[in-house]
Amino acid sequence: EDKVVQSPLSLVVHEGDTVTLNCSYEVTNFRSLLWYKQEKKAPTFLFMLTSSGIEKKSGRLSSILDKKELFSILNITATQTGDSAIYLCAVEVFIIMKTSYDKVIFGPGTSLSVIP
Amino acid sequence: NAGVTQTPKFQVLKTGQSMTLQCAQDMNHNSMYWYRQDPGMGLRLIYYSASEGTTDKGEVPNGYNVSRLNKREFSLRLESAAPSQTSVYFCASSERQPNQPQHFGDGTRLSIL
């Protein structure tokens, strides 16, 4: 059964700290790994990773994928209170069915709280 | 930019009542999805629609039905609500191509008493 595991499930840090969020997966027909940020409402897309070892970066956030060891990390440097959110990791797998589509499996999320 | 719009935002039902959650997207996406989100369990796929006129079951379809009314709209119906269906429901859409992220609505918080 396909699954995505995230750790830690919750984390409290002080402003200015650097955090690393982990995501590991066991799936068949891997296509990509995605990170989303969820504040009060809709998850918003952060990164999509398809190749091992290539870092994706956006401001203070960065992420990298290791397809051999089946995991990804999301780093946030110099954290701010606005980084407080649930960070969702998801893996896209390809399924051939009568209407083939890319199934997306979400992990449980890491709840990050950044305190002043 | 509206993106994905869900209605209602909140709803309280009694056990056994029925209701339909509405979702519309204005991005001309082919694929649409319904998820539920429960504490500690992430997002679980209820149903999806790869294109107009097609729907398929996801991970947790029991107790739900869907209709892909047209390319823009994808509704989720609870025929006889149960307390176990208390959850936050998200609709999403995406291009029907590899490596395209999903875009989410703001969710519907549903409580079944």
Side-chain angles (χ1 to χ4, degrees):
Chain A
E1 183 183 338
D2 296 333
K3 66 178 180 180
V4 177
V5 177
Q6 291 185 248
S7 64
L9 294 181
S10 66
L11 188 58
V12 180
V13 301
H14 288 95
E15 264 191 321
D17 288 350
T18 293
V19 298
T20 298
L21 310 183
N22 303 294
C23 176
S24 62
Y25 60 91
E26 292 179 28
V27 302
T28 53
N29 298 325
F30 174 92
R31 193 189 284 285
S32 62
L33 185 143
L34 304 98
W35 285 97
Y36 288 86
K37 177 182 181 181
Q38 184 178 22
E39 295 175 86
K40 294 192 187 305
K41 296 183 178 178
T44 53
F45 171 72
L46 293 174
F47 298 114
M48 175 178 284
L49 302 154
T50 57
S51 303
S52 280
I54 299 175
E55 185 182 54
K56 292 280 184 89
K57 200 169 171 66
S58 176
R60 295 176 294 101
L61 277 66
S62 63
S63 183
I64 197 161
L65 173 68
D66 185 329
K67 290 169 74 173
K68 182 180 177 184
E69 300 297 330
L70 309 183
F71 78 91
S72 173
I73 59 172
L74 175 68
N75 278 321
I76 309 175
T77 58
T79 51
Q80 302 171 357
T81 55
D83 295 325
S84 296
I86 296 173
Y87 290 84
L88 296 167
C89 174
V91 173
E92 190 175 25
V93 300
F94 184 70
I95 296 179
I96 300 173
M97 298 169 66
K98 56 177 179 174
T99 53
S100 59
Y101 88 114
D102 285 2
K103 174 183 174 183
V104 178
I105 304 151
F106 283 85
T110 293
S111 177
L112 174 65
S113 296
V114 181
I115 54 178
Chain B
N1 283 343
V4 180
T5 303
Q6 290 183 235
T7 55
K9 296 191 188 311
F10 304 95
Q11 185 70 50
V12 179
L13 294 177
K14 294 181 180 178
T15 297
Q17 287 185 313
S18 62
M19 86 160 292
T20 300
L21 308 186
Q22 307 288 353
C23 175
Q25 51 93 9
D26 62 3
M27 294 173 282
N28 203 36
H29 286 162
N30 284 302
S31 299
M32 297 186 74
Y33 312 83
W34 275 106
Y35 292 91
R36 61 178 287 174
Q37 186 176 34
D38 302 292
M41 301 191 74
L43 288 157
R44 292 183 293 167
L45 183 66
I46 304 171
Y47 271 93
Y48 70 97
S49 172
S51 61
E52 183 179 352
T54 68
T55 61
D56 281 285
K57 295 178 180 179
E59 182 185 355
V60 288
N62 292 344
Y64 305 95
N65 285 301
V66 290
S67 295
R68 183 75 182 267
L69 304 169
N70 47 54
K71 192 172 185 179
R72 289 187 65 248
E73 298 172 289
F74 189 37
S75 62
L76 177 72
R77 183 162 178 82
L78 286 71
E79 291 291 352
S80 179
S84 62
Q85 294 177 304
T86 293
S87 188
V88 180
Y89 291 85
F90 286 98
C91 177
S93 71
S94 70
E95 295 285 356
R96 193 185 170 191
Q97 295 171 25
N99 301 334
Q100 295 296 322
Q102 294 179 12
H103 300 263
F104 287 84
D106 284 344
T108 296
R109 187 173 294 276
L110 185 61
S111 295
I112 317 292
L113 305 178

